[in-house]
Each structure stands twice: as C-alpha cells, then as structure tokens.
Amino acid sequence: MLPQTLLVFASALSAVTAGPVRKRCGGKPIASSSTVPEASTTASATVSASASASASAAPATGPKLPSTGAGTQLPAAEGQLQHIVVGHGIQNYTCKAADSAAASSTGALAVLYDITALAPGGSSPMSETAWSALADEVLHKTELPLNIVGNALTKYAADVLAPFKSAGDADLTMDGLSSPLKAIGHHYFDAAGVPTFDLFATGEKLVAKKLNDTAAPSGADKGIMDTGAVAWLRLGDNGAGGSKGLSQVYRVYTSGGASIACSEANTTISVPYTAQYWFYN
C-alpha cells in the first residue's frame, strides 16, 4: 500500500517507457544559494503538464539545498551547482551473521535522471511539494532500471555482469511531464568500494568519499520494502585523481533504501531506493 503522502498526489507520475537514448553537452553552471529552507515531505500538488526536463536550461535563481527540518544539517555547498538528478536503483548490504539487526552497507547502484529544469526557480519548475515528493513518485510508480536476478533474501538483486537495463540508458517518461527525464549517468561503487558518479551524458565524473551525513526526516517515505529512508549525505572528491568537472554531491530527499535485519549469514540484501543528487563543481 502506498504511503498517504503519495495517495494525495492527484495526477500520479506513473509509467516508465523506453525512450530514445539522447546525449547532451554539459550546460552552464547554475547560480546557487547557501540558504537552506525546510524540506517538505507531503506530496499534495500535481506536476505541471508543461514541465520539461531539459538539462541545459539553468534556473534563473538557483534552487536551494533543502534541510531535513530538524537536527544536525549538512554543511553549506561549496562551488557552483551543475546538475540535479534523481537516482533510482538499489542499496546493497552484506550480512556477516544470521539474526543480526543490521547489515553492513556495501554500496549502491542507480541510474541518474536529469531534473535540473524542474527545480523551483528552474525553466519548467514544479511546485515545492511536488518537487520534494518527486523521488517518492519515481520509486513507487516506475520500474527499477536494472536487470534484476533476485536472491534468497530479496527479489531486487541486480545482475552483476549487466546490471543496467537495455544496451543504452532509456529516458524516463512520467505522467504530467511534457518531456522525458533524460538519463544522464550511473552511480555505483567500484571494485575497491569507492562511490562513483559517472555522468556519461556530460563527460563529468566524481570519485567520492563521504564527508557528512544526517538522518532523513522522520516523515520520509520508507520505500516499497517499508524499511525506512537512507540518510542524507554530502560526498566530496576523494583526491585520487579520478574526478572530472565535479567536486561535491549531496544526497537529499531520500526514499527507501534502508536495510532489513539479517536472517542468513554471508548473504546480500538489495533494497530499492530513490534520492535527489545535487552536483557541484
């Protein structure tokens, strides 16, 4: 059953279709502000039918990083805002022992879709409530863009050899949007366990390390497995020389992704999640 916050979202963002693969050149930096407004966790507005996800259209007045509304907040952003995306995929965990309350995080896997123009202040802005609920809508009303193989503990494990669906990356079509959300990149952890953001559509890359975290708001969507929302994060370049054009990313507006308790030793748990990622140079 969907959470109440999604049931009141009158014109549902729903279907996924495999649109043509389109690549774009990097847009101009987006003017940003360090002012942090309180985040909304209630989805009560419809998406404008004229909304467009054109990645190159920079907001006239830059969008502002949200806050969780309580507790310790992530530090203010440094640099200029380059892209805002919604990531859709899975969080992976490893169980070292049975009957353990918590599994160890072993990374994530997600496709990144450009939503820069939809930000309040963008060229085709959503309302604040629709914007803050966008990740929830993508999680509950679109399919995982991964090749799923399943395992003993969860049906959401991705194929390790070819995790992403199709030969290319399909754009994401959603009800209420006049243009598909453009697939812009991938998020994954490399063989050494390093969080990596590869924006194949722009040639940018961030090889990162975690700098700060804070718990998601108490009202955040718990996800399709009802496990809870993963934390909000700030990550920065890890200094190894692999990054290109990007220095920081914030993970905010998280939906789902928290682990379930371990029932078997030496197993992997994969939990679907979505989140907004804000990239800075």
Side-chain angles (χ1 to χ4, degrees):
M1 179 177 294
L2 296 183
Q4 183 177 3
T5 55
L6 294 176
L7 293 176
V8 298
F9 206 94
S11 76
L13 299 177
S14 55
V16 158
T17 63
V21 177
R22 302 177 191 172
K23 309 247 177 178
R24 68 166 183 82
C25 296
K28 296 180 180 179
I30 302 162
S32 63
S33 169
S34 60
T35 303
V36 182
E38 183 170 333
S40 168
T41 59
T42 302
S44 61
T46 60
V47 178
S48 168
S50 64
S52 168
S54 172
S56 60
T61 58
K64 301 169 184 176
L65 272 169
S67 111
T68 61
T72 302
Q73 299 302 310
L74 298 175
E78 300 173 359
Q80 290 184 302
L81 182 61
Q82 301 295 305
H83 314 282
I84 306 174
V85 307
V86 60
H88 189 193
I90 54 177
Q91 293 284 325
N92 291 320
Y93 301 90
T94 297
C95 292
K96 296 181 179 180
D99 301 320
S100 173
S104 300
S105 177
T106 52
L109 187 68
V111 176
L112 308 176
Y113 301 99
D114 198 349
I115 58 172
T116 307
L118 302 181
S123 62
S124 300
M126 289 179 162
S127 68
E128 290 280 357
T129 49
W131 171 252
S132 63
L134 181 57
D136 301 352
E137 293 290 305
V138 172
L139 179 63
H140 287 275
K141 297 180 180 179
T142 71
E143 296 178 358
L144 273 168
L146 307 174
N147 289 316
I148 301 300
V149 296
N151 63 22
L153 296 183
T154 173
K155 62 182 180 180
Y156 299 109
D159 186 336
V160 295
L161 298 179
F164 299 105
K165 280 187 176 179
S166 76
D169 288 277
D171 297 338
L172 185 62
T173 299
M174 304 182 73
D175 287 349
L177 300 181
S178 61
S179 300
L181 302 178
K182 309 300 181 186
I184 189 175
H186 294 152
H187 172 40
Y188 59 89
F189 280 56
D190 68 14
V194 177
T196 302
F197 299 86
D198 181 8
L199 303 191
F200 55 71
T202 67
E204 295 163 300
K205 190 173 187 179
L206 180 61
V207 181
K209 62 181 179 181
K210 186 174 78 171
L211 301 177
N212 308 91
D213 62 11
T214 190
S218 58
D221 181 71
K222 294 182 179 181
I224 60 179
M225 292 179 64
D226 199 34
T227 57
V230 288
W232 292 21
L233 302 177
R234 171 178 170 253
L235 301 96
D237 175 33
N238 73 350
S243 298
K244 181 180 179 181
L246 300 170
S247 64
Q248 290 186 83
V249 64
Y250 287 72
R251 185 178 78 184
V252 298
Y253 290 134
T254 55
S255 181
S259 178
I260 60 176
C262 295
S263 59
E264 297 180 37
N266 301 315
T267 53
T268 297
I269 299 172
S270 297
V271 183
Y273 89 106
T274 52
Q276 286 190 17
Y277 290 95
W278 296 45
F279 290 95
Y280 293 81
N281 67 1

Coordinates of all heavy atoms in Angstrom, one line a residue, residues 147-199:
N147 N 18.6 -4.8 -14.4 CA 18.4 -6.2 -14.7 C 18.4 -6.9 -13.4 O 19.5 -7.1 -12.8 CB 19.4 -6.7 -15.7 CG 19.2 -6.2 -17.1 OD1 18.1 -6.1 -17.6 ND2 20.3 -5.8 -17.7
I148 N 17.2 -7.4 -12.9 CA 17.1 -8.0 -11.6 C 17.2 -9.5 -11.7 O 16.5 -10.1 -12.5 CB 15.8 -7.5 -10.9 CG1 15.7 -6.0 -10.8 CG2 15.6 -8.2 -9.6 CD1 16.9 -5.4 -10.0
V149 N 18.0 -10.1 -10.8 CA 18.1 -11.6 -10.8 C 17.5 -12.2 -9.5 O 17.2 -13.4 -9.5 CB 19.6 -12.0 -11.0 CG1 20.1 -11.6 -12.3 CG2 20.5 -11.4 -9.9
G150 N 17.4 -11.4 -8.5 CA 16.9 -11.9 -7.2 C 17.8 -12.8 -6.4 O 18.8 -13.3 -7.0
N151 N 17.6 -13.0 -5.2 CA 18.4 -14.0 -4.4 C 17.5 -14.4 -3.2 O 16.3 -14.2 -3.2 CB 19.7 -13.3 -3.9 CG 19.5 -12.1 -3.0 OD1 18.4 -12.0 -2.3 ND2 20.5 -11.3 -2.9
A152 N 18.1 -15.1 -2.3 CA 17.3 -15.8 -1.2 C 16.6 -14.8 -0.3 O 15.6 -15.1 0.3 CB 18.2 -16.7 -0.4
L153 N 17.2 -13.6 -0.1 CA 16.6 -12.6 0.8 C 15.8 -11.5 0.2 O 14.9 -10.9 0.9 CB 17.8 -12.0 1.6 CG 18.6 -13.0 2.5 CD1 19.7 -12.2 3.3 CD2 17.7 -13.8 3.4
T154 N 16.0 -11.2 -1.0 CA 15.3 -10.1 -1.6 C 15.2 -10.3 -3.1 O 16.1 -10.9 -3.7 CB 15.9 -8.7 -1.4 OG1 15.2 -7.7 -2.1 CG2 17.4 -8.7 -1.7
K155 N 14.1 -9.9 -3.7 CA 14.0 -10.1 -5.2 C 14.6 -9.0 -6.0 O 14.4 -8.9 -7.2 CB 12.5 -10.2 -5.5 CG 11.7 -9.0 -5.2 CD 10.2 -9.2 -5.5 CE 9.4 -8.0 -5.2 NZ 7.9 -8.2 -5.5
Y156 N 15.4 -8.1 -5.4 CA 15.8 -6.9 -6.1 C 17.3 -6.9 -6.4 O 17.9 -5.9 -6.8 CB 15.5 -5.7 -5.2 CG 14.0 -5.5 -5.0 CD1 13.4 -5.7 -3.8 CD2 13.2 -5.1 -6.1 CE1 12.1 -5.5 -3.6 CE2 11.8 -5.0 -5.9 CZ 11.3 -5.2 -4.7 OH 9.9 -5.1 -4.5
A157 N 18.0 -8.0 -6.2 CA 19.4 -8.0 -6.6 C 19.7 -7.9 -8.0 O 18.9 -8.4 -8.9 CB 20.0 -9.4 -6.1
A158 N 20.7 -7.1 -8.4 CA 20.9 -6.8 -9.8 C 21.9 -7.8 -10.4 O 22.8 -8.3 -9.7 CB 21.5 -5.4 -10.0
D159 N 21.9 -8.0 -11.7 CA 22.8 -8.8 -12.4 C 24.2 -8.2 -12.3 O 24.4 -7.0 -12.6 CB 22.4 -8.9 -13.9 CG 23.2 -9.8 -14.7 OD1 24.4 -10.1 -14.3 OD2 22.7 -10.3 -15.7
V160 N 25.1 -8.9 -11.8 CA 26.5 -8.3 -11.6 C 27.2 -8.1 -12.9 O 28.1 -7.3 -12.9 CB 27.3 -9.2 -10.6 CG1 26.7 -9.3 -9.3 CG2 27.5 -10.6 -11.2
L161 N 26.9 -8.8 -13.9 CA 27.6 -8.7 -15.2 C 27.0 -7.6 -16.1 O 27.7 -6.9 -16.8 CB 27.6 -10.0 -16.0 CG 28.3 -11.2 -15.3 CD1 28.2 -12.4 -16.1 CD2 29.8 -10.8 -15.0
A162 N 25.7 -7.4 -16.1 CA 25.0 -6.4 -16.9 C 23.8 -5.9 -16.0 O 22.7 -6.2 -16.3 CB 24.5 -7.0 -18.2
P163 N 24.2 -5.0 -15.1 CA 23.1 -4.5 -14.1 C 22.1 -3.6 -14.7 O 20.9 -3.6 -14.3 CB 23.9 -3.8 -13.1 CG 25.2 -3.4 -13.7 CD 25.5 -4.4 -14.7
F164 N 22.5 -2.8 -15.7 CA 21.6 -1.8 -16.2 C 20.7 -2.3 -17.4 O 21.3 -3.0 -18.3 CB 22.3 -0.5 -16.6 CG 23.1 0.1 -15.5 CD1 24.5 0.0 -15.4 CD2 22.4 0.8 -14.5 CE1 25.2 0.6 -14.3 CE2 23.1 1.4 -13.4 CZ 24.5 1.3 -13.4
K165 N 19.5 -1.9 -17.4 CA 18.6 -2.4 -18.5 C 19.0 -1.8 -19.8 O 19.4 -0.7 -19.9 CB 17.1 -2.0 -18.2 CG 16.4 -2.9 -17.2 CD 15.0 -2.5 -17.1 CE 14.3 -3.5 -16.1 NZ 12.8 -3.2 -16.0
S166 N 18.8 -2.6 -20.9 CA 19.0 -2.3 -22.3 C 20.4 -2.0 -22.6 O 21.3 -1.8 -21.8 CB 18.1 -1.1 -22.7 OG 18.6 0.1 -22.2
A167 N 20.7 -1.9 -23.9 CA 22.1 -1.6 -24.4 C 22.5 -0.2 -24.1 O 23.7 0.1 -23.8 CB 22.2 -1.8 -25.9
G168 N 21.6 0.7 -24.1 CA 21.8 2.1 -23.7 C 21.0 2.4 -22.4 O 20.5 1.5 -21.8
D169 N 20.8 3.7 -22.1 CA 20.0 4.1 -21.0 C 18.8 4.8 -21.5 O 18.9 5.9 -22.1 CB 20.8 4.9 -20.0 CG 21.9 4.1 -19.3 OD1 21.5 3.5 -18.3 OD2 23.0 4.1 -19.7
A170 N 17.6 4.3 -21.2 CA 16.4 4.9 -21.7 C 16.0 6.1 -20.8 O 16.2 6.1 -19.6 CB 15.3 3.8 -21.6
D171 N 15.4 7.1 -21.5 CA 14.9 8.2 -20.8 C 13.6 7.7 -20.0 O 13.0 6.7 -20.3 CB 14.5 9.3 -21.7 CG 15.7 9.9 -22.5 OD1 16.8 9.7 -22.0 OD2 15.5 10.5 -23.5
L172 N 13.3 8.5 -19.0 CA 12.2 8.1 -18.1 C 11.0 9.0 -18.4 O 11.0 10.2 -18.2 CB 12.6 8.2 -16.7 CG 11.6 7.8 -15.6 CD1 11.3 6.3 -15.7 CD2 12.2 8.1 -14.2
T173 N 9.9 8.4 -18.9 CA 8.7 9.1 -19.2 C 7.7 9.0 -18.1 O 7.5 7.9 -17.6 CB 8.0 8.6 -20.5 OG1 8.9 8.7 -21.6 CG2 6.7 9.3 -20.8
M174 N 7.2 10.1 -17.6 CA 6.3 10.1 -16.5 C 5.1 11.0 -16.8 O 5.1 12.0 -17.4 CB 7.0 10.7 -15.2 CG 8.3 9.9 -14.9 SD 9.1 10.5 -13.4 CE 8.0 9.9 -12.2
D175 N 3.9 10.5 -16.3 CA 2.7 11.3 -16.5 C 2.8 12.7 -15.9 O 3.4 12.8 -14.8 CB 1.5 10.6 -15.8 CG 1.0 9.4 -16.6 OD1 1.5 9.2 -17.7 OD2 0.2 8.6 -16.1
G176 N 2.3 13.7 -16.6 CA 2.4 15.1 -16.1 C 3.6 15.8 -16.6 O 3.7 17.1 -16.4
L177 N 4.6 15.2 -17.2 CA 5.7 15.8 -17.8 C 5.6 15.8 -19.3 O 5.4 14.8 -19.9 CB 7.0 15.2 -17.3 CG 7.3 15.1 -15.8 CD1 8.6 14.4 -15.5 CD2 7.2 16.5 -15.2
S178 N 5.9 16.9 -19.9 CA 5.8 17.0 -21.3 C 7.0 16.4 -22.0 O 6.9 16.1 -23.2 CB 5.6 18.5 -21.8 OG 6.7 19.3 -21.4
S179 N 8.1 16.3 -21.3 CA 9.3 15.7 -21.9 C 9.9 14.6 -20.9 O 9.7 14.7 -19.7 CB 10.4 16.7 -22.1 OG 10.0 17.7 -23.0
P180 N 10.5 13.6 -21.5 CA 11.1 12.5 -20.6 C 12.2 13.1 -19.8 O 12.8 14.1 -20.1 CB 11.6 11.5 -21.6 CG 10.9 11.8 -22.9 CD 10.6 13.3 -22.9
L181 N 12.5 12.5 -18.7 CA 13.6 12.8 -17.9 C 14.8 12.1 -18.5 O 14.8 10.9 -18.8 CB 13.5 12.3 -16.4 CG 12.3 12.8 -15.6 CD1 12.3 12.2 -14.3 CD2 12.3 14.3 -15.5
K182 N 15.8 12.8 -18.8 CA 17.0 12.3 -19.6 C 17.9 11.5 -18.7 O 18.3 12.0 -17.6 CB 17.8 13.5 -20.2 CG 17.0 14.5 -21.0 CD 16.3 13.8 -22.2 CE 15.5 14.8 -23.0 NZ 14.7 14.2 -24.0
A183 N 18.2 10.3 -19.1 CA 19.3 9.5 -18.4 C 20.6 10.2 -18.6 O 21.0 10.4 -19.7 CB 19.3 8.1 -19.0
I184 N 21.2 10.6 -17.5 CA 22.5 11.4 -17.6 C 23.7 10.6 -17.1 O 24.8 11.0 -17.4 CB 22.3 12.7 -16.8 CG1 23.4 13.7 -17.0 CG2 22.1 12.4 -15.3 CD1 23.2 15.0 -16.3
G185 N 23.5 9.6 -16.2 CA 24.6 8.9 -15.7 C 24.3 7.7 -14.9 O 23.1 7.3 -14.7
H186 N 25.3 7.1 -14.3 CA 25.2 6.0 -13.4 C 25.9 6.3 -12.0 O 26.9 7.0 -12.0 CB 25.9 4.7 -14.0 CG 25.3 4.2 -15.2 ND1 26.0 3.5 -16.2 CD2 24.0 4.2 -15.6 CE1 25.2 3.2 -17.1 NE2 24.0 3.6 -16.8
H187 N 25.4 5.7 -11.0 CA 26.0 5.7 -9.7 C 26.3 4.3 -9.3 O 25.4 3.4 -9.4 CB 25.1 6.4 -8.6 CG 25.6 6.3 -7.2 ND1 26.9 6.4 -6.9 CD2 24.9 6.1 -6.1 CE1 27.0 6.3 -5.6 NE2 25.8 6.1 -5.1
Y188 N 27.5 4.0 -8.9 CA 27.9 2.7 -8.5 C 29.1 2.8 -7.6 O 29.7 3.8 -7.4 CB 28.3 1.8 -9.7 CG 29.4 2.4 -10.6 CD1 30.7 2.1 -10.3 CD2 29.1 3.3 -11.6 CE1 31.7 2.6 -11.1 CE2 30.1 3.9 -12.4 CZ 31.4 3.5 -12.1 OH 32.4 4.1 -12.9
F189 N 29.5 1.7 -7.0 CA 30.7 1.5 -6.2 C 31.7 0.7 -7.0 O 31.3 -0.4 -7.5 CB 30.4 0.9 -4.8 CG 29.8 1.9 -3.8 CD1 28.7 2.6 -4.1 CD2 30.4 2.1 -2.6 CE1 28.1 3.5 -3.2 CE2 29.9 3.0 -1.6 CZ 28.8 3.7 -1.9
D190 N 32.9 1.2 -7.1 CA 33.9 0.4 -7.9 C 34.4 -0.8 -7.2 O 34.0 -1.1 -6.1 CB 35.0 1.3 -8.4 CG 35.9 1.8 -7.3 OD1 35.9 1.3 -6.2 OD2 36.7 2.8 -7.5
A191 N 35.3 -1.5 -7.8 CA 35.9 -2.7 -7.3 C 36.5 -2.6 -5.9 O 36.6 -3.5 -5.1 CB 36.8 -3.4 -8.2
A192 N 37.0 -1.3 -5.6 CA 37.6 -1.0 -4.3 C 36.6 -0.5 -3.3 O 37.0 -0.1 -2.2 CB 38.7 0.0 -4.5
G193 N 35.3 -0.5 -3.7 CA 34.3 0.0 -2.8 C 34.2 1.5 -2.7 O 33.7 2.1 -1.7
V194 N 34.6 2.2 -3.8 CA 34.6 3.7 -3.8 C 33.4 4.2 -4.5 O 33.1 3.8 -5.6 CB 35.9 4.2 -4.5 CG1 35.8 5.7 -4.6 CG2 37.1 3.8 -3.8
P195 N 32.6 5.1 -3.9 CA 31.4 5.6 -4.5 C 31.7 6.4 -5.7 O 32.6 7.3 -5.6 CB 30.7 6.4 -3.4 CG 31.8 6.7 -2.4 CD 32.7 5.6 -2.5
T196 N 31.1 6.1 -6.9 CA 31.4 6.8 -8.1 C 30.2 7.2 -8.8 O 29.2 6.6 -8.8 CB 32.2 5.8 -9.0 OG1 33.4 5.3 -8.4 CG2 32.6 6.4 -10.4
F197 N 30.3 8.4 -9.4 CA 29.2 9.0 -10.2 C 29.7 9.3 -11.5 O 30.5 10.2 -11.7 CB 28.6 10.3 -9.5 CG 28.1 10.1 -8.1 CD1 28.9 10.1 -7.0 CD2 26.7 9.9 -7.9 CE1 28.5 9.9 -5.7 CE2 26.2 9.7 -6.6 CZ 27.1 9.7 -5.5
D198 N 29.3 8.6 -12.5 CA 29.7 8.7 -13.9 C 28.6 9.4 -14.7 O 27.6 8.7 -15.1 CB 30.1 7.3 -14.5 CG 30.6 7.4 -15.9 OD1 30.8 8.5 -16.4 OD2 30.8 6.3 -16.5
L199 N 28.8 10.7 -15.0 CA 27.8 11.4 -15.8 C 28.2 11.2 -17.3 O 28.9 12.1 -17.9 CB 27.7 12.8 -15.4 CG 27.4 13.1 -13.9 CD1 27.0 14.6 -13.7 CD2 26.2 12.2 -13.5

